[in-house]
Amino acid sequence: MIIYGRLLSTFTRRTLIWATLQDRGFEHRPIQVVGEEFEDLIKVHPGGRVPAVELPDGTVLVDSAAIIDYLEFSAPIDMRLMPQDELSRRQAAALFGHATAGAEKATAHFYETNRRPEPYRWAEWADRLARQVGGSLDVLEAACPDAGFYGGTAPNGVDVGVVPLVDFIEMTNPALMGDGRPKLKALAARANALPAFEKWHPKHM
Ligand SMILES: N[C@@H](CCC(=O)N[C@@H](CS)C(=O)NCC(=O)O)C(=O)O
């Protein structure tokens, strides 16, 4: 299995951490979505996005949700990162959804405020994106445990969704985190002390 994408991508990082926590053998190929490497990327994923995963039989999976679905479904039950009972799974899916929403809007905010040439930047849209990120972070902070992980004593899929979001914001625009999210910051610190999270931290880019 080959996982394509760079460590600054929250969506790529969640697939790398997921596969690592499940003890999967895989190769990581960091590839940029912009510049010359875009030409290589579209040969793997014609839509030109990361993450993309190439399976040994040649199947290419794109979009972190599809990749994670594959990882979960193909893993033995004791290696799965989402709860198996209906209620806990629904609760985990709800939080994972907020992590995804926050990651989409934090990524869009980064593109709007960093990638877009300055004369074309739209301040009102960036403010809206920041507010959307804040809304997702508020939900995740309220549900965040004071100790351990969303998954209890060990991280589960929710942690794998949330921590890359927190790290991405801390690295690209810490002001978006604000001062009021101590539990999320502490959770990320606890998770990043674990090899599966630390190994794929964007500081290693
Ligand atoms: N829904 C996708 C989002 C992936 C995504 O936004 N990837 C970004 C990098 S974090 C990307 O490829 N950006 C380049 C582009 O969209 O053109 C997923 O969950 O994988």
Side-chain angles (χ1 to χ4, degrees):
M1 176 162 77
I2 304 167
I3 301 182
Y4 293 88
R6 296 209 314 159
L7 299 183
L8 195 59
S9 160
T10 53
F11 299 103
T12 300
R13 193 167 167 235
R14 55 168 65 170
T15 62
L16 290 165
I17 297 169
W18 207 291
T20 304
L21 284 171
Q22 286 187 336
D23 244 345
R24 305 266 180 164
F26 66 90
E27 179 190 336
H28 174 223
R29 289 199 192 156
I31 189 165
Q32 274 201 289
V33 293
V34 291
E36 284 175 14
E37 289 182 1
F38 184 69
E39 298 307 321
D40 297 324
L41 178 58
I42 58 174
K43 287 178 198 145
V44 179
H45 175 3
R49 304 186 89 187
V50 294
V53 165
E54 202 174 321
L55 301 180
D57 71 357
T59 308
V60 175
L61 295 172
V62 304
D63 202 285
S64 61
I67 295 163
I68 285 169
D69 183 65
Y70 162 75
L71 291 174
E72 278 295 276
F73 197 71
S74 60
I77 289 193
D78 63 342
M79 296 303 273
R80 293 182 184 171
L81 298 181
M82 289 299 268
Q84 298 301 302
D85 71 282
E86 200 274 330
L87 177 60
S88 311
R89 194 181 183 94
R90 191 191 332 152
Q91 289 165 341
L95 290 172
F96 192 83
H98 286 291
T100 298
E104 283 171 358
K105 294 302 165 178
T107 303
H109 187 274
F110 178 67
Y111 289 159
E112 182 64 40
T113 55
N114 270 271
R115 293 257 192 262
R116 190 184 293 281
E118 210 156 345
Y120 304 112
R121 289 181 194 163
W122 183 7
E124 289 82 2
W125 192 253
D127 289 347
R128 177 191 153 96
L129 293 168
R131 216 175 136 193
Q132 290 172 298
V133 173
S136 300
L137 292 177
D138 285 343
V139 175
L140 297 170
E141 172 77 16
C144 188
D146 290 313
F149 301 96
Y150 289 101
T153 52
N156 71 1
V158 179
D159 298 283
V160 183
V162 172
V163 172
L165 165 64
V166 173
D167 292 336
F168 175 76
I169 293 173
E170 297 271 44
M171 281 202 63
T172 58
N173 188 352
L176 276 185
M177 271 310 278
D179 294 327
R181 275 121 194 172
K183 291 200 286 179
L184 286 176
K185 290 178 190 168
L187 174 87
R190 287 193 295 278
N192 285 317
L194 303 175
F197 286 79
E198 204 282 332
K199 180 172 186 190
W200 307 114
H201 194 282
K203 71 183 177 200
H204 300 306
M205 272 198 319

